[in-house]
Amino acid sequence: MEATVTGRAREMAILTGVVDDAARGAGGVLLVRGEPGIGKSHLLAAAAGHARSRGVLVLATVGVPAESHLPFAGLHQLLRPLLSRTSELPEPQRAAMLAAFGMSPGSQNVFFIALAALELLADAGPVVVLADDLHWLDDATVEVLAFLARRIAAEPIAVLAATRSGSSLDGRLVEVTGLDDDASRALLRRHAADLTPATRERLLTEAAGNPLALVELPAAIRAGRWDDAAVLPSMLPLTARLESAFSARLDDLPAATNALLLAAALDDGRGLPSEILAAAGVTEDALTAAQVAGLISLDGGRIRFRHPLIRAAVHHRAGDADRRRAHLAWSAVLAEQADRHLWHRAAAATGPDAAIADALEEVAGRERDRGALAAANIVQQRAARLTAVPADRARRLLDSAELAFELGHHHLVRSLVDEAGPIADTPREQSRVMLLTGVLDDGRAGDVAAIRGITEQARRMAAAGEQDLAGLLLVGAGRRCWWTEPGPAQRRAIAALADELPVPEPVRLSVLTFAEPIEQGGRVIAALPEVFAATRDPGELALLVLAAYITGDFDRCLEVAGPATDGLRAQGRLALLGQVLTLEASAAMHRGVWADAATMADEAVRATVETGQPDWILAARHVDAAMAGLRGDTGRAGEQVALIVGDDQTSAVASSAHQSRGLAALASGAYAEAYDQFRPAFDPEHPAYQRALQCWLISYLAEAAMHSGDRLEDARLVLAGLEELAVVSPSPALHVSVRYARAALAPDDDAEKLFRDAIDRHPARWPFPRARLDLAYGSWLRRHRRIAESREPLRAAREAFDRLGAQGWSERARQELRATGESSSRPAPDGWQRLSPQELQIATMAAAGMSNREIGQRLYLSHRTVGSHLYRLFPKLGITSRIQLKDAIAHR
C-alpha cells in the first residue's frame, strides 16, 4: 500500500481533507475514478487509516458482480455495524430498512430506507463511508448513496467512492492516473528485482503506470504463461492483460482449487464456505490452497476474492459450459432455499424454459407485494428472457417496465417497452405499451393522431371491462392536451369520453380539466368540494389538485394539496409529491401566500430533481425563480434560471418559462421586457401559448402595458379575447385577473368604476393581487390630482407589499406616496425574510411543535440537519431557542 500511495500526494491530500472536514462536522462526497488496478482501493484504504487515526468511524462496502442483482446488498454490508441502533429510528424508516435487509416483512420504500441510512450515519458520526467498486454495487444501494450525497453537507459524514466509470453521485471528482516513471520503477523493483533490463522496460511500457499491472505481470511471467515479456500480447486492453495475468496463475492450481474458485465466483454473496465447498464438490484443502496462492481470503466467515479481476478471470476462463454446470451444482446445494435455488437454475438455463419463467414470475410477485420493487424487477426481467411465447414475453417485459418506472429508471423503461412493443399482440398489452410510452413522453408535444389513438384505445379497454386501464389512458390523453394544443375538436372528444366511461370522479374531473379547462371549468369547480370530501387516496387527491389549479381555483387547490402532500409523504411517493408541490407553490404565489410558496417551490425542486422528472424539474425551477424574482431575490432567481435546461418545447413549460422571466422583469421595473415575456402566452401561434395559464397572466400583462404606453392598444386587444373566456368560465383566477386588467387598461371615464368594482369583488385571501390593485388605483387617483383620496389605497398597498417582501412593488408604493407629499420610510429588515425557503419551512414546523425527527421525516433530512438549520436561523430572528419560535411566528 505504501508503495502504491507513494507519488499520490495530491490525491491523498484531497481524500484526507474530506475526512478531516467530516471530523469537524462538515460532510462531503469524493468520487475516485480510474481504470482497474490503478490504485483506487489503496487510496481508499489509506484514507480509512487516516480516518481511524483521528477517531473517525469507518464503514465500508464493496461491489461485486455476483451481488449486483441483490437490492440493498451493498447497503446491508455498509450498515451492518449500526443495525443494533435501528430501534431508535422512526417506525416507517425502521420497518422499511429491516424489510430491505430481509430481517422482517414489510414494504421496501426506497426513500424511507435512504432516510433511515442517513439517520443512522448522522447519529454515528463523524463517519467515513467507503464504497469501493461502485460500478458493481446494486442499483438500490447506489440510489441510497446518491440520496445521502445530496444531504450530507451539514452532517459529519464523508462518502468516498471508487469507480471505473461515471457515477450518479454528485461530488468532487478525483481522476487517478498511472504512476510516474520513478514511482513505477520503484514499485517494480520491490516486487520483481530480478528482471532483466529488457524485460523490465517492456513491463514498464505495458503497465503504463498501473500499479496492479506492475505487480501481476511479473507474476504471470514467472507462472510460465509467457516465456518472457517479449511475447506479451500488446494489443490487449489493460483489463484483459490483467485478467490474462491472473488466468496464468490459475493454470498451476489443482483442479479442485479451480472448481472452488468458480463456485465462489458464481456465489451471490450469501454463501457460507461450507456451501461453496459443497457446490464445488471439494474439501477444505482446496480452500487452503487458494488462500496460500493469495487469490482469496476469509473475511467475517465469508470467502472474498483479493481483487475483483481475479473473480472476473475465474469467470471468463471457465467458459459457458463450465459455468452452467457450476450453477446447476449450486441449485442442488440450495435445494432447501427456494429462491436462491431457482435463481441458479435460471442462470443455468440455455434457452427458454416455461417452468423456470413461471416460477420466477411468482417470486417477482411476492417481492412486489412486499414492496421490494428493485428485486421484483430483476427477477421479472429474467422471467421474460426465459419466456418463448411472444404474448407472455411481452406481458412480462411490460410488468418489468412498470416496476422500472416506479423505481425511476426511465432509460430501462424505454428499452423494455421498445422490446415489448413489436410482440404485444393483445389489446390489453398494446394499451400498456401506449400508456407507458405516453408516461415517458409526458411533457413532450404530441400530434393529434397520437392523442386520438390513446383516446380510442381507452374506449376499447372500457368496453373490454378494463376500467382502470381505460382511466389511466384517458388521463394520459388529457395530459397531452395540457402539455400541447391538439385543437378544439380533439379536446371536445376527450371530454365527451370522460363523461361516457365509468371512471372514478377524480379521474373524470382531471381529464375534463386537462381537455377543456375553460369550457368545463364551471362544472369542475362546482364538483370539487363534494369529490374532495369523498376522496382519501393521495393519488386521487393529486388529480384534484391538478383540476383545481388548472381551473384557477387556487383556494381549493391549496385546500386539497394539504392532505394530498401529507398522504404522499407518508407513502414515500416522492415523484407525485414533487408534482403536487409545484402546482401548490404556483397557486400560493399567484394568490399571495408567499412564505408558503417559497418553501413549497424549494421542496418541489428538490423532490423533482430527486426523482428525475425532467419537465417537472423545469416547471418547479420556473416557479422557484418566479417566486425569488417577485421578492427581489435576484441571486436565487438567477441560480434557478441558470440551472434550467431544455428547449421549453411544450406549451405549459414554455408558458411557465415566460411567466417566471416576466414576473422577475416586472418586479424590477423592466416593464417593456416584462410585456415581451408575457405576450407569447396569449398568441395561439406561439409555442408558449397555453389556454389555462393565460387566464391569470392578463393582469401582469396589463400592469406591464400601463407603464409602457406603446403597448396599451395591444394589451386591450388581448383583454378582449379573455373577456370572452370570462363569460364561459367562473375561474376565480381568471376573474381576479380580468377585473384588474379592465381597470388598468380602461379609458379615464370608465377606470374609477372598474377599479371600485374590482376592489369590492376581490377575494379576501388573495393579498398580492389586492395590493397590486390598491397600488394601481391609488396611482390613478394621484395622477388625477385626487391626492387625499389616493393615500389610503397607496398606504394599504405599501403595507401589504412590506408584509410579503415584494421589494419592487413596495418601493413603487413609496414613490407614489412621496409624490402625494407623504414621507414613507423603508421598514427595518424582517428577520423572517432573511431565512432561506428551507429554513422558513423548518422554523414553521418547529413553531408548530414538531420535533427535529418529525421535521426530518417530512422533508427527507436527518434530524441533525434540522437541528443545524434551527441553530443558524435563531440569530436571524433574534431568538435563542425553539421555545421562542411560537411567539416569533405569531408576531411575524
Side-chain angles (χ1 to χ4, degrees):
M1 184 177 77
E2 293 83 359
T4 304
V5 175
T6 299
R8 305 274 193 212
R10 182 187 70 87
E11 292 91 340
M12 278 307 306
I14 296 172
L15 266 71
T16 56
V18 175
V19 171
D20 292 342
D21 286 343
R24 291 189 291 265
V29 182
L30 190 67
L31 189 65
V32 180
R33 188 168 67 189
E35 65 185 20
I38 204 67
K40 303 183 298 295
S41 298
H42 284 79
L43 283 169
L44 292 191
H50 176 74
R52 293 188 183 100
S53 73
R54 295 207 54 184
V56 175
L57 175 66
V58 176
L59 300 173
T61 187
V62 180
V64 293
E67 296 181 29
S68 62
H69 71 285
L70 297 174
F72 303 109
L75 186 65
H76 186 222
Q77 181 187 159
L78 177 73
L79 296 179
R80 189 178 297 160
L82 303 181
L83 292 183
S84 62
R85 304 184 185 184
T86 55
S87 59
E88 301 169 16
L89 293 170
E91 177 56 27
Q93 299 169 28
R94 186 186 68 82
M97 174 164 279
L98 294 180
F101 296 159
M103 299 169 67
S104 72
S107 176
Q108 296 182 19
N109 182 294
V110 68
F111 294 110
F112 288 166
I113 295 164
L115 187 54
L118 179 60
E119 288 282 4
L120 288 176
L121 292 171
D123 282 342
V127 60
V128 170
V129 171
L130 302 181
D132 204 357
D133 285 325
L134 186 71
H135 48 279
W136 278 332
L137 280 174
D138 60 276
D139 289 343
T141 293
V142 174
E143 191 172 352
V144 172
L145 290 175
F147 179 97
L148 295 174
R150 290 187 284 269
R151 286 168 171 79
I152 60 174
E155 303 286 358
I157 303 171
V159 175
L160 307 180
T163 185
R164 294 183 185 178
S165 55
S167 169
S168 59
L169 295 189
D170 296 324
R172 189 174 180 182
L173 176 66
V174 174
E175 291 280 4
V176 182
T177 56
L179 298 175
D180 62 25
D181 188 61
D182 289 342
S184 295
R185 289 179 182 276
L187 182 61
L188 191 57
R189 278 196 304 271
R190 180 181 174 188
H191 288 274
D194 57 343
L195 294 176
T196 66
T199 300
R200 180 183 302 110
E201 294 305 315
R202 177 66 198 280
L203 287 182
L204 286 169
T205 300
E206 289 295 326
N210 185 292
L212 187 63
L214 289 165
V215 172
E216 294 299 334
L217 290 177
I221 291 174
R222 293 192 193 99
R225 177 68 177 268
W226 302 294
D227 293 335
D228 59 47
V231 294
L232 280 173
S234 60
M235 296 305 291
L236 286 175
L238 186 57
T239 301
R241 295 179 205 178
L242 291 177
E243 289 181 5
S244 295
F246 285 125
S247 294
R249 299 180 64 182
L250 298 174
D251 288 342
D252 290 339
L253 295 175
T257 304
N258 275 305
L260 170 82
L261 292 172
L262 179 57
L266 299 182
D267 176 31
D268 60 9
R270 293 178 287 182
L272 298 171
S274 59
E275 292 178 330
I276 295 175
L277 290 170
V282 298
T283 67
E284 289 192 9
D285 291 342
L287 177 60
T288 303
Q291 289 178 277
V292 170
L295 299 174
I296 62 172
S297 64
L298 284 177
D299 179 13
R302 303 282 178 171
I303 293 177
R304 298 290 183 191
F305 284 90
R306 185 173 64 81
H307 193 280
L309 286 176
I310 300 175
R311 180 193 291 268
V314 170
H315 189 272
H316 292 155
R317 180 175 176 270
D320 291 341
D322 289 338
R323 287 196 294 270
R324 283 196 297 272
R325 281 193 293 270
H327 277 298
L328 286 172
W330 263 114
S331 69
V333 169
L334 299 172
E336 301 303 317
Q337 300 181 43
D339 289 354
R340 294 177 68 198
H341 163 79
L342 177 62
W343 187 257
H344 283 287
R345 280 185 62 206
T350 58
D353 188 310
I356 295 177
D358 290 346
L360 286 170
E361 187 168 39
E362 289 182 12
V363 173
R366 291 198 302 271
E367 296 289 347
R368 182 173 54 246
D369 290 343
R370 70 186 187 93
L373 301 186
N377 188 32
I378 292 168
V379 176
Q380 188 69 27
Q381 283 186 65
R382 184 61 179 154
R385 301 284 173 252
L386 295 177
T387 303
V389 179
D392 290 339
R393 183 182 178 90
R395 174 178 57 76
R396 286 168 172 162
L397 287 169
L398 293 173
D399 286 344
S400 181
E402 288 176 352
L403 291 166
F405 179 78
E406 288 192 55
L407 290 164
H409 301 163
H410 293 174
H411 290 297
L412 176 59
V413 176
R414 192 172 295 280
S415 172
L416 292 167
V417 171
D418 288 346
E419 185 178 352
I423 57 175
D425 58 359
T426 68
R428 187 177 191 280
E429 304 314 321
Q430 290 168 354
S431 296
R432 295 175 71 198
V433 169
M434 188 176 291
L435 182 61
L436 283 164
T437 302
V439 173
L440 286 174
D441 292 338
D442 192 20
R444 302 294 188 271
D447 59 30
V448 174
I451 297 175
R452 185 181 298 117
I454 297 172
T455 307
E456 292 171 353
Q457 193 72 6
R459 187 189 301 277
R460 285 193 288 270
M461 287 298 96
E466 297 279 0
Q467 306 302 339
D468 290 345
L469 190 53
L472 292 171
L473 286 164
L474 200 55
V475 170
R479 290 173 80 98
R480 294 285 186 103
C481 297
W482 167 254
W483 293 114
T484 190
E485 175 51 61
Q490 189 58 47
R491 286 190 278 104
R492 280 196 299 271
I494 292 173
L497 188 57
D499 275 333
E500 178 184 334
L501 298 185
V503 294
E505 284 306 301
V507 171
R508 190 186 321 281
L509 294 185
S510 67
V511 174
L512 291 173
T513 309
F514 282 136
E516 294 189 307
I518 306 302
E519 297 80 0
Q520 301 288 340
R523 175 184 168 192
V524 171
I525 290 171
L528 277 171
E530 182 178 350
V531 177
F532 171 42
T535 304
R536 293 292 178 268
D537 177 71
E540 292 188 342
L541 288 173
L543 292 176
L544 297 183
V545 171
L546 279 162
Y549 177 78
I550 294 172
T551 57
D553 189 352
F554 293 153
D555 288 336
R556 189 73 60 190
C557 176
L558 297 180
E559 180 186 5
V560 179
T565 55
D566 287 346
L568 294 171
R569 282 195 183 94
Q571 295 178 356
R573 298 168 70 179
L574 206 56
L576 195 51
L577 175 65
Q579 297 179 21
V580 172
L581 284 169
T582 300
L583 301 178
E584 187 181 18
S586 183
M589 176 184 73
H590 287 298
R591 212 185 76 174
V593 191
W594 281 8
D596 292 344
T599 60
M600 294 166 187
D602 177 69
E603 188 180 358
V605 170
R606 287 184 281 113
T608 52
V609 168
E610 193 82 62
T611 51
Q613 303 179 81
D615 291 288
W616 284 100
I617 292 172
L618 288 178
R621 288 200 189 283
H622 282 310
V623 177
D624 198 17
M627 191 65 257
L630 286 171
R631 302 182 83 168
D633 188 349
T634 55
R636 184 179 179 89
E639 289 173 5
Q640 289 298 339
V641 169
L643 290 169
I644 293 170
V645 294
D647 301 325
D648 296 335
Q649 67 272 40
T650 69
S651 62
V653 174
S655 184
S656 295
H658 281 273
Q659 172 183 277
S660 64
R661 297 166 191 152
L663 289 173
L666 195 60
S668 65
Y671 298 111
E673 179 186 348
Y675 193 91
D676 290 343
Q677 287 293 339
F678 292 132
R679 186 62 178 83
F682 302 91
D683 180 1
E685 303 302 319
H686 195 280
Y689 174 72
Q690 222 288 333
R691 295 183 78 241
L693 294 184
Q694 67 172 331
C695 292
W696 48 89
L697 292 185
I698 184 61
S699 71
Y700 300 121
L701 185 83
E703 183 175 352
M706 276 196 315
H707 297 281
S708 40
D710 59 334
R711 317 294 176 94
L712 279 172
E713 287 306 316
D714 181 64
R716 286 167 179 157
L717 289 174
V718 174
L719 174 62
L722 269 291
E723 292 279 16
E724 296 177 9
L725 300 184
V727 173
V728 177
S729 173
S731 165
L734 170 61
H735 285 274
V736 166
S737 195
V738 164
R739 285 194 291 265
Y740 176 100
R742 284 176 189 148
L745 300 175
D748 285 343
D749 291 346
D750 301 326
E752 182 169 15
K753 177 183 177 183
L754 292 171
F755 272 122
R756 291 307 316 168
D757 177 67
I759 290 171
D760 290 344
R761 299 169 64 185
H762 192 81
R765 296 187 296 170
W766 295 43
F768 181 53
R770 174 56 190 266
R772 290 174 52 234
L773 192 55
D774 284 336
L775 175 59
Y777 181 42
S779 300
W780 184 88
L781 289 171
R782 184 195 62 76
R783 290 197 304 273
H784 288 78
R785 302 182 183 280
R786 295 164 62 176
I787 304 300
E789 293 177 73
S790 71
R791 289 177 181 141
E792 181 180 351
L794 289 174
R795 289 182 196 128
R798 176 199 62 196
E799 292 167 5
F801 290 137
D802 285 347
R803 285 193 299 272
L804 289 168
Q807 298 177 15
W809 281 275
S810 290
E811 183 55 33
R812 287 197 283 280
R814 282 179 168 75
Q815 290 172 358
E816 290 288 342
L817 280 168
R818 282 194 291 271
T820 71
E822 180 177 308
S823 62
S824 180
S825 60
R826 293 183 179 86
D830 183 353
W832 289 96
Q833 293 175 12
R834 295 201 300 272
L835 300 185
S836 71
Q838 192 168 72
E839 287 175 337
L840 179 59
Q841 191 172 23
I842 289 171
T844 304
M845 291 179 178
M850 294 178 66
S851 69
N852 288 3
R853 285 194 184 275
E854 289 170 333
I855 295 170
Q857 189 170 347
R858 283 176 63 87
L859 301 183
Y860 294 91
L861 301 170
S862 84
H863 71 281
R864 289 178 57 97
T865 295
V866 173
S868 178
H869 278 299
L870 287 170
Y871 178 78
R872 289 196 300 269
L873 68 83
F874 286 161
K876 298 179 183 180
L877 301 179
I879 61 177
T880 58
S881 71
R882 66 189 298 145
I883 297 174
Q884 297 170 290
L885 265 177
K886 189 172 183 179
D887 288 338
I889 204 167
H891 294 93
R892 178 176 152 194

